[in-house]
Structures are given as C-alpha cells and as structure tokens.
C-alpha cells in the first residue's frame, strides 16, 4: 500500500523516474538579474543543492568547486559532466525582483545532452529554503528508484532569509581571498550571525 501511495503522489507531482542515474554535477547557476549583482545568490543556491543531494544514499555528487572551475573555462554543461564522470548535470538561473525569486533549473543527460527535466519556481525570496529542498527532492526522485516525500531534505538552518543572504554574500567575498574581501566577508558573516 505504501509503495502504491508513493507512486500515486509522485505521479500527481509529475515526478516519475525518467532515467536511473547515480551521479550528478550541479553547475553554478547564472545570475539573470538586470544589474547582474546577484551572483552570490546564484552560486550559493547551486552549492546548497549540491550539499543537499550529497546527503542522498547511493547518489554521487561532484564537488561544487570542481563544477565552478570547469564552468569558468566556458565548457558546455555536457562537456563538464563528461569531464567530471557524472551521468547528469543540473544547470539553472536565478533572478530576484523585489521580494520575488525566480529559479529555473534544467537536468541534462551528459551522454547525449538531452533535457531530462526542466522546471521554473516563482516564489517569494523568503521561500528560498523550500525551493532548494524541492529541487533536490525532485532530482533524486527523477533519477533514483525511490520517492522522497516533501520535507525529506529539510536541513537545519536559519529561517531568516536576510541572514542567509548575508551568509551567501560573505561566502562570495571569502572565495576571492584578498585582504579587502576577507574583511568584507567577516562583516557579512557577523551581520548574518546577528540576524
């Protein structure tokens, strides 16, 4: 009964097994904002999804830093996937307008470059944690022979979107590894902790 029930829920959500795959790379999402000033959010979202997917049993996730380095070289998503020896690649884009967040994701087969799944999420910025969980859950449900219910990928974190945004800005500055950026990162991290 439980198996049939989960299959029915998955079918209602449009999540049926597309292809069995045991490996994935999550590429840095692209910043689609008009000012091109939200790269911290795009990169942070991809890293968090990498972390969430890494917790799934029997599912290999390429290190986010490896994906970032290859993406900076201008390689195509399928070429990156082949280099990282993964069967699938998740790409996406992020755009924040006011307090609205739009995330578009696309799951690709690295063997032939075909799109296995694509979805757009339009929510309030405060729902960013929910979007991360939904994307992670959908990817595993599509690629694995199992079904995770909503909330399966819940992680312990702040519920403050403002604190999370400060944290992501701090991580972006920290990656630059300059004296000035390290000072700025510390300021952002302290603000995140205060929030």
């Amino acid at each position: 009964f439980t198996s049939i029930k989960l299959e029915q829920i998955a079918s209602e959500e449009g999540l049926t097994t597309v292809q069995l795959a045991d490996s994935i790379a999550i590429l840095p999402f692209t910043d689609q904002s008009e000012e091109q000033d939200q790269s911290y959010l795009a990169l942070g979202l991809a890293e968090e999804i990498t972390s969430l997917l890494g917790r799934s049993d029997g599912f290999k996730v390429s290190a986010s830093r490896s994906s970032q380095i290859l993406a900076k070289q201008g390689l195509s998503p399928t070429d990156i996937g082949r280099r990282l020896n993964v069967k699938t690649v998740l790409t996406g884009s992020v755009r924040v307008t006011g307090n609205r967040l739009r995330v578009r994701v696309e799951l690709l087969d690295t063997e032939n470059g075909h799109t296995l799944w694509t979805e757009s999420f339009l929510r309030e910025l405060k729902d960013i944690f929910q979007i991360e969980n939904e994307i992670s859950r959908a990817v595993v449900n599509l690629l694995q022979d199992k079904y995770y219910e909503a909330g399966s990928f819940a992680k312990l974190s702040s519920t403050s979107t403002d604190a999370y945004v400060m944290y992501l800005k701090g991580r972006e500055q920290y990656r630059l590894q300059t004296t000035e950026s390290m000072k700025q990162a510390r300021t952002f991290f302290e603000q995140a902790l205060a929030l």
Side-chain angles (χ1 to χ4, degrees):
F1 176 75
T2 303
S3 176
I4 293 171
K5 178 184 172 191
L6 292 177
E7 286 177 19
Q8 182 181 10
I9 293 170
S11 177
E12 289 171 3
E13 293 180 7
L15 300 174
T16 57
T17 302
V18 173
Q19 171 181 330
L20 292 179
D22 62 353
S23 57
I24 190 168
I26 293 82
L27 302 186
F29 288 10
T30 57
D31 175 8
Q32 295 292 319
S33 65
E34 290 179 20
E35 296 83 21
Q36 294 290 301
D37 62 346
Q38 297 164 355
S39 61
Y40 66 90
L41 187 60
L43 186 56
L45 188 61
E47 287 179 340
E48 291 301 319
I49 292 170
T50 300
S51 177
L52 288 170
L53 288 174
R55 296 179 191 162
S56 179
D57 294 333
F59 202 56
K60 293 176 255 172
V61 181
S62 176
S64 61
R65 189 69 183 138
S66 300
S67 299
Q68 291 168 21
I69 290 169
L70 292 173
K72 283 182 182 179
Q73 294 177 3
L75 298 173
S76 73
T78 52
D79 287 338
I80 293 172
R82 289 181 193 126
R83 276 198 156 168
L84 295 173
N85 198 27
V86 295
K87 294 181 181 178
T88 56
V89 174
L90 184 72
T91 66
S93 63
V94 176
R95 181 182 182 126
V96 177
T97 307
N99 67 344
R100 301 293 291 174
L101 172 66
R102 182 178 186 275
V103 178
R104 187 199 57 77
V105 292
E106 186 176 30
L107 184 65
L108 304 172
D109 183 333
T110 58
E111 186 176 315
N112 54 29
H114 292 161
T115 299
L116 300 174
W117 173 71
T118 186
E119 187 69 50
S120 290
F121 300 86
L122 180 60
R123 307 270 172 69
E124 289 188 27
L125 184 58
K126 67 182 174 98
D127 295 329
I128 191 167
F129 302 115
Q130 181 183 357
I131 292 172
E132 291 171 352
N133 290 327
E134 283 183 40
I135 293 169
S136 301
R137 186 174 66 91
V139 167
V140 172
N141 288 343
L142 286 164
L143 299 179
Q144 299 286 294
D145 192 19
K146 51 186 149 189
Y147 177 76
Y148 286 107
E149 295 184 69
S152 298
F153 281 93
K155 66 177 204 164
L156 299 174
S157 63
S158 171
T159 56
S160 169
T161 305
D162 293 333
Y164 185 59
V165 167
M166 286 296 145
Y167 166 72
L168 292 178
K169 286 181 178 182
R171 278 181 33 186
E172 181 179 48
Q173 290 298 313
Y174 182 79
R175 278 187 210 93
L176 298 176
Q177 294 291 306
T178 66
T179 303
E180 189 58 38
S181 68
M182 296 300 270
K183 289 178 185 176
Q184 188 65 40
R186 180 182 174 128
T187 302
F188 284 131
F189 289 146
E190 287 172 350
Q191 290 173 353
L193 287 171
L195 290 169

